[in-house]
Amino acid sequence: MPHLPSGPAVRRDAGLYGYERALRRAGIDPIAGVDEAGRGACAGPLVAGACILPAGRAGIVPGLADSKLLTEAARERVYAQVVRRAVAWSVVVIDNEECDRLGMHVANVEALRRAVALLETRPSYVLTDGFPVDGLEVPGLAVWKGDRVAACIAAASVLAKVTRDRLMVAMDAEHPAYDFKTHKGYITDVHTAALTEHGPSPVHRMRFVNVRRAAGLEPAVEPGTRVDLDAGTGAETEEDA
């Protein structure tokens, strides 16, 4: 795994902007963060966001935090601030059919690469959430729980989450039987009941076992049997875990 360049050090109490400050002290700038939303959903797209925040006070985003820790209203407010303050930002949408074709892990890495490539300002360094991403063409660092400890990753997570939530609300209008506006395509009891009653919609991911079962492509299971819903997908069933 890559490490911070020789010289910079990040204190445990450095706060959300500590990684960027440490890299800038070493003369590395601009710094991009990248993150995704929707990896664990069984319906809808995968969305990746990338963001470069400016140095100094201009890059301090009011209310910024990991998108999963914010309410919907707070995410919308932070999204507007990120878009207004960012040196550069981008979002990439990979639809459910491409997710099925590539597989979730490959689709996830591809989305992150595309998001960085679309930034109008080329970063000198990239911070990623949780695991390293090859093929970014610039040095980078995988940061454990990065969306909670690195501002640029948190900003990217908000860009991705808000964009995806808006898309799922639009899909709910097209497919109202599934209540996408509430669960955003993740595996919940309400979603499972809708799948059982109506079968998969055109925006469901057919690699997921629960979706395949609802389509009659996998055998049913006995009540009480433990089932790995994401078998074969490389995804997680918890929202962006």
Side-chain angles (χ1 to χ4, degrees):
M1 179 180 293
H3 297 282
L4 285 173
S6 178
V10 182
R11 293 167 52 94
R12 290 183 180 273
D13 59 352
L16 195 61
Y17 297 86
Y19 277 91
E20 287 98 321
R21 291 190 184 113
L23 288 165
R24 289 186 180 112
R25 285 197 299 268
I28 299 171
D29 200 39
I31 305 149
V34 63
D35 200 11
E36 52 72 31
R39 180 184 61 216
C42 69
L46 175 73
V47 178
C51 184
I52 298 173
L53 294 173
R57 294 180 61 85
I60 306 298
V61 180
L64 179 61
D66 172 9
S67 63
K68 298 184 293 298
L69 302 179
L70 299 173
T71 65
E72 182 176 353
R75 280 196 299 267
E76 288 284 351
R77 290 193 297 270
V78 171
Y79 176 95
Q81 287 286 335
V82 169
V83 169
R84 183 171 71 85
R85 293 168 181 264
V87 171
W89 65 276
S90 68
V91 292
V92 167
V93 178
I94 295 187
D95 65 24
N96 59 297
E97 292 181 351
E98 189 170 6
C99 288
D100 281 341
R101 180 175 64 83
L102 296 175
M104 286 311 305
H105 178 70
V106 175
N108 189 28
V109 171
E110 181 63 21
L112 298 172
R113 288 174 181 155
R114 292 181 193 177
V116 172
L118 282 175
L119 289 170
E120 293 183 354
T121 300
R122 180 180 174 85
S124 297
Y125 204 81
V126 178
L127 299 178
T128 61
D129 182 26
F131 64 92
V133 178
D134 294 331
L136 295 178
E137 299 184 353
V138 294
L141 176 71
V143 182
W144 178 247
K145 295 293 184 182
D147 46 8
R148 300 191 183 191
V149 299
C152 57
I153 300 178
S157 78
V158 170
L159 291 172
K161 175 67 173 168
V162 170
T163 299
R164 187 177 187 279
D165 283 359
R166 291 174 179 177
L167 291 171
M168 295 308 299
V169 170
M171 288 179 183
D172 179 80
E174 298 177 5
H175 308 285
Y178 299 92
D179 196 27
F180 289 142
K181 67 180 182 299
T182 301
H183 54 69
K184 307 301 190 296
Y186 288 93
I187 301 167
T188 66
D189 290 343
V190 170
H191 192 181
T192 298
L195 264 174
T196 300
E197 181 176 358
H198 304 289
S201 75
V203 299
H204 276 91
R205 301 177 186 171
M206 296 306 298
R207 278 185 176 245
F208 275 70
V209 171
N210 63 322
V211 178
R212 292 177 60 80
R213 186 171 294 118
L217 301 175
E218 294 281 348
V221 295
E222 295 296 325
T225 302
R226 185 184 183 280
V227 178
D228 183 3
L229 292 176
D230 66 332
T233 68
E236 299 178 23
T237 54
E238 294 290 336
E239 180 174 348
D240 295 338

